[in-house]
Amino acid sequence: MMKTRFKYNRNGILTYLLAFVVAAIFVPIGTIGGEGSMLRTGNYLHSPAPNGGNSPDWKGSGVISAADGVLFDGTTAYAGWMGSADSHPTVNVVIDLLKDYPLGQIRVVLNSPNKYWGFKDITVKYRPESATGYYIATRHVRTGTNLNYSVTVPMSGKTARFIVLNIKRTQAFQHIPLTEVEIDRGTGADKLLPGPALTAEQLQAELKKEALLADRFGQWMNEAWPGKVTTEAQLRLEYADEAAALANVSLDPALYDPYGGIKGLGKQASTGYFRLQVINGKWWFITPDGYPFIVKGVDATSLWESGYKTPILRADGNVKQIFEELPDRTAYAPAYTKDANGEYVSFVVANVMKKYGSDFEAKWEEMTKKRLIQWGFNTFSKWTKPKNVTFPYIQSLQDPSNLRRILWTYDVFDPQSGPLIENALKAQLQNANDSKWLIGYTYDNEAGWNADIVKEVLTYSSSSPAKSAFVDFVEQSYNGSLAAANQALGTKAASFDALKNTRIDIAKVPAAVVSEYIKLASGTYHSMIRDIIKKYDPNHLFLGTSIVPTWRTSLEWDQAAMPFVDAFSVDSYSRNASWISRYEAFGKPLLNLEHSFGSSERGLSYINVGTMTMSVRDRGLAYRTFAESQAAHPLFVGSGWYAYYDQPITGRPDGESYNIGLVNQQDQPYAEMVDIMKATHANLEKVHLNGLTSP
């Protein structure tokens, strides 16, 4: 069979790499080490150039000599990259030692002046002169809060001429320091004749060269762990064992109705569809059969979810040199897809095919449903779902692509918006109208209005419906007085029509005007979506638009939505239920439809600092605390874990590579985590009834 393999121009080095798993040693420091056998030779280049720190590295966009730069000088002088809204997420440094040397260790010092400096993780790569691509020496995720920090990477005599550091920010405004790079010569002979020094352009090209990341199952190549898949036979044995363990799993009809409603909580009025009701001061969903229900959901459960695939081609059309071996294109053809942006492979699909064999999708669907029941989940809560699994679900309706855009959202005042949205949603709504398993709909995603949207609108002309609506609103607010409007806005328009073609500085607009205009926009938007949904499907709930509290939205936008939604949904990746306090006063039932916890093991990373954990078990414990804190609130009616599978270590199409799954991409459940989730779910209704109790 034809297989795509990653090759280097050095005999035996791939085998050597696979046998070598680097363990990085992380040592917080106070001072920089001495001379010893450190190499102080060659050149280096920053990308992007530092905009902080000391000269000559400060603003140094070209080649810097190791003899002159701050990274090899043995002092506290440093290169720095200041964070901002548009800062580069990753800082890169490429070092040219001018010839191959055997290396003992690499020590990277990242001392922070204060708490606003730091980094998320650092990857250290190396390449001998004869190799065409790089090897991963280590990927280290920062731990602790020490301002003085270093990462020491044993190299054990590995030969290298080129070393690359990739340093990532935790968030855009974090400042990154790089104080020193100490490279110790190892045992063995170095190359006798130095090669020509690389130019700045050539060093920039080094940053585009790739490193081996994924083995033939899509696993991180540079780390070993118990249970790591080594053969297809192992996958098949795991399937047989799990199938036997879950053979008798199903909902107990003595405890649950067919939808997962809790019979022990008493029967309510049955309407044949999911609805919402307050019982003894607490909000609940009520199932079609009339029993109380809290959404305990999982997002993106489809085997074919696009976020589980990874790009395989470089810009030049050649296969990326990051894969040990890609799945056979004939035997695993369903794992490959194409679109206008490139070609992709899903290791999830390929591994499921290897694991379940013939009729793989049906077997996988049966296993997935049993897993979720066993773990106490009861809903497909957002995004894609399996084709043939009967389970309560929430349907995510997406806005059509031909709407008039404003930054991350669109012009809700455009008279064409309603017809375009109605035309896009009509068939979906009609098809789901009679479904007893559908809980309700969300529409669009994470795209409210705030002052940034208003600021943009105020730069437009009268051709913008949103700008015209703003001026009409101002005219009404000031009782038709142009003089009062001009005075309030800091403008000199000759008429309200002229004001529609005048650029308005938001800094001069009264805050109350901005606030009320956002509320007007929100009411226009949410009433329109509600009316479209109810027109074609009066049987199901409108669950809002999955807002991220405090990001790309505003309290005015959220508040004005409340009269038009049956429940209000958010996506809150956080540690506790404090997000609920933002919405308590409105009294609407609340859902959190995207959240998860991740660690930085096995080549993956976490979504943000607030959801970072240190192990699989810690992920489960964080979930228990989070889930119970939400469930204790009277307004809370459910949540969705994002997502069923991890993202690929080689990155999904937009580059994300997060440890978010209940299951890894080799279809292995994170057993220690889901066991904790199972116990948590069994107690959530009691927590919702009685609140949290002291342990």
Side-chain angles (χ1 to χ4, degrees):
M1 294 186 295
M2 293 294 294
K3 297 180 179 179
T4 304
R5 292 185 179 271
F6 181 92
K7 296 182 179 179
Y8 278 79
N9 298 331
R10 186 176 186 187
N11 294 334
I13 199 163
L14 178 58
T15 302
Y16 190 47
L17 172 68
L18 295 176
F20 171 64
V21 178
V22 176
I25 303 170
F26 320 124
V27 185
I29 67 163
T31 59
I32 296 168
E35 295 285 330
S37 59
M38 286 189 294
L39 296 170
R40 298 179 182 274
T41 182
N43 306 308
Y44 61 90
L45 178 140
H46 302 293
S47 182
N51 56 359
N54 303 105
S55 295
D57 294 56
W58 178 57
K59 295 187 177 179
S61 58
V63 176
I64 300 171
S65 168
D68 300 328
V70 301
L71 299 189
F72 292 82
D73 65 356
T75 75
T76 56
Y78 68 98
W81 291 264
M82 309 303 289
S84 66
D86 57 355
S87 60
H88 294 266
T90 303
V91 163
N92 306 289
V93 181
V94 55
I95 301 166
D96 178 5
L97 298 175
L98 299 182
K99 65 178 181 179
D100 283 342
Y101 288 96
L103 303 183
Q105 68 176 30
I106 301 170
R107 184 168 180 257
V108 184
V109 182
L110 306 105
N111 289 345
S112 298
N114 56 55
K115 66 180 181 179
Y116 301 106
W117 292 71
F119 66 100
K120 179 180 181 181
D121 60 63
I122 180 171
T123 300
V124 180
K125 301 185 289 191
Y126 68 98
R127 176 173 84 83
E129 204 168 357
S130 60
T132 59
Y134 278 81
Y135 304 107
I136 304 289
T138 194
R139 177 174 173 273
H140 167 61
V141 178
R142 179 170 181 157
T143 59
T145 58
N146 288 327
L147 296 180
N148 291 336
Y149 202 93
S150 74
V151 178
T152 301
V153 187
M155 294 299 292
S156 304
K158 302 295 176 292
T159 299
R161 170 176 171 174
F162 301 101
I163 297 168
V164 169
L165 312 178
N166 305 130
I167 312 170
K168 292 184 179 180
R169 286 182 164 89
T170 300
Q171 42 84 12
F173 291 92
Q174 184 178 45
H175 312 314
I176 294 178
L178 181 56
T179 312
E180 199 77 4
V181 180
E182 300 173 353
I183 304 171
D184 287 359
R185 182 199 297 265
T187 58
D190 53 276
K191 188 174 181 179
L192 296 179
L193 296 176
L198 267 59
T199 65
E201 183 178 7
Q202 289 170 322
L203 286 175
Q204 286 283 2
E206 286 296 307
L207 295 175
K208 298 179 181 179
K209 292 182 178 179
E210 295 158 329
L212 265 177
L213 300 177
D215 68 11
R216 66 192 183 99
F217 297 101
Q219 299 168 118
W220 180 242
M221 292 188 63
N222 304 285
E223 185 180 344
W225 59 85
K228 188 174 185 180
V229 177
T230 57
T231 66
E232 294 181 19
Q234 177 185 341
L235 286 174
R236 292 191 293 270
L237 179 60
E238 287 174 355
Y239 169 45
D241 290 345
E242 190 176 12
L246 300 181
N248 298 319
V249 168
S250 63
L251 281 179
D252 184 346
L255 302 177
Y256 304 99
D257 72 12
Y259 308 95
I262 311 296
K263 290 186 174 181
L265 295 178
K267 196 173 190 310
Q268 307 297 318
S270 171
T271 64
Y273 299 99
F274 278 91
R275 61 184 183 85
L276 287 155
Q277 180 180 327
V278 175
I279 304 174
N280 296 326
K282 310 290 178 67
W283 278 101
W284 298 83
F285 282 107
I286 304 298
T287 67
D289 281 5
Y291 292 98
F293 179 95
I294 291 176
V295 166
K296 293 175 275 192
V298 183
D299 302 334
T301 42
S302 172
L303 179 61
W304 312 103
E305 163 65 36
S306 62
Y308 300 145
K309 66 186 182 183
T310 189
I312 61 175
L313 300 180
R314 299 195 304 241
D316 61 8
N318 291 317
V319 174
K320 292 182 176 183
Q321 293 187 310
I322 60 177
F323 306 103
E324 175 197 20
E325 179 183 313
L326 288 172
D328 182 88
R329 287 179 176 268
T330 300
Y332 302 103
Y336 287 89
T337 53
K338 292 182 179 180
D339 62 24
N341 298 313
E343 188 172 348
Y344 313 91
V345 67
S346 170
F347 281 101
V348 168
V349 172
N351 289 328
V352 164
M353 293 178 72
K354 294 172 183 177
K355 183 173 185 175
Y356 296 95
S358 61
D359 202 18
F360 67 91
E361 187 169 7
K363 294 174 183 174
W364 172 85
E365 287 182 334
E366 179 183 19
M367 184 63 64
T368 295
K369 183 172 183 179
K370 287 185 174 183
R371 283 173 175 171
L372 295 182
I373 292 173
Q374 174 76 359
W375 302 338
F377 290 99
N378 60 15
T379 303
F380 297 134
S381 48
K382 199 174 177 185
W383 306 125
T384 57
K385 60 185 179 68
K387 298 174 183 176
N388 302 301
V389 175
T390 302
F391 221 49
Y393 69 99
I394 294 169
Q395 187 162 328
S396 302
L397 302 170
Q398 293 302 290
D399 56 312
S401 60
N402 54 348
L403 296 170
R404 185 190 294 259
R405 307 301 300 181
I406 304 174
L407 299 181
W408 59 79
T409 183
Y410 60 86
D411 190 337
V412 302
F413 296 104
D414 184 352
Q416 295 303 310
S417 292
L420 290 172
I421 295 169
E422 182 172 349
N423 185 61
L425 302 185
K426 177 180 178 180
Q428 297 178 68
L429 296 169
Q430 289 175 326
N431 290 339
N433 179 45
D434 295 327
S435 173
K436 294 182 179 296
W437 296 94
L438 172 61
I439 296 172
Y441 302 97
T442 61
Y443 172 77
D444 202 0
N445 190 61
E446 301 180 353
W449 279 38
N450 60 14
D452 291 332
I453 297 293
V454 180
K455 180 180 179 180
E456 178 73 11
V457 168
L458 296 186
T459 67
Y460 295 165
S461 68
S462 61
S463 63
S464 162
K467 178 64 173 294
S468 293
F470 175 81
V471 174
D472 291 342
F473 169 71
V474 167
E475 181 178 7
Q476 182 180 13
S477 299
Y478 289 93
N479 299 315
S481 172
L482 180 63
N486 274 326
Q487 182 178 7
L489 303 178
T491 54
K492 298 179 181 180
S495 66
F496 282 108
D497 284 341
L499 188 57
K500 293 178 180 180
N501 286 300
T502 301
R503 290 176 66 94
I504 302 171
D505 181 358
I506 193 173
K508 298 178 180 179
V509 179
V513 172
V514 174
S515 178
E516 292 303 316
Y517 175 61
I518 292 173
K519 290 179 184 178
L520 174 65
S522 179
T524 302
Y525 169 89
H526 288 95
S527 62
M528 175 177 61
I529 302 305
R530 178 206 57 188
D531 291 348
I532 291 171
I533 290 174
K534 299 304 181 184
K535 178 178 179 180
Y536 295 103
D537 183 0
N539 296 322
H540 294 106
L541 301 167
F542 178 26
L543 304 176
T545 57
S546 294
I547 287 297
V548 178
T550 73
W551 182 73
R552 289 187 171 181
T553 191
S554 58
L555 191 57
E556 293 91 346
W557 177 269
D558 299 348
Q559 176 184 350
M562 297 296 176
F564 306 105
V565 299
D566 297 301
F568 190 80
S569 62
V570 305
D571 294 346
S572 180
Y573 290 86
S574 55
R575 280 282 181 182
N576 56 52
S578 60
W579 64 268
I580 293 179
S581 62
R582 179 179 172 91
Y583 305 111
E584 276 180 324
F586 307 123
K588 282 283 181 177
L590 299 171
L591 292 142
N592 183 3
L593 293 181
E594 276 193 36
H595 66 85
S596 62
F597 297 94
S599 65
S600 291
E601 301 174 301
R602 308 179 187 182
L604 296 168
S605 187
Y606 52 88
I607 290 178
N608 59 32
V609 173
T611 62
M612 178 184 69
T613 61
M614 302 308 297
S615 68
V616 173
R617 174 176 168 78
D618 286 345
R619 293 177 72 204
L621 294 174
Y623 175 78
R624 181 174 68 190
T625 299
F626 184 63
E628 290 180 349
S629 70
Q630 292 186 129
H633 200 283
L635 297 178
F636 181 75
V637 290
S639 65
W641 173 276
Y642 185 82
Y644 187 62
Y645 282 113
D646 283 333
Q647 293 172 338
I649 62 166
T650 46
R652 71 178 191 178
D654 66 358
E656 286 188 5
S657 182
Y658 293 137
N659 170 221
I660 52 176
L662 304 172
V663 184
N664 64 25
Q665 288 224 331
Q666 294 69 50
D667 199 56
Q668 297 171 307
Y670 287 107
E672 196 171 10
M673 178 179 75
V674 297
D675 284 349
I676 296 171
M677 290 176 151
K678 175 183 177 181
T680 301
H681 290 150
N683 193 49
L684 275 192
E685 286 82 10
K686 184 182 296 184
V687 171
H688 193 52
L689 280 170
N690 304 317
L692 289 171
T693 57
S694 300

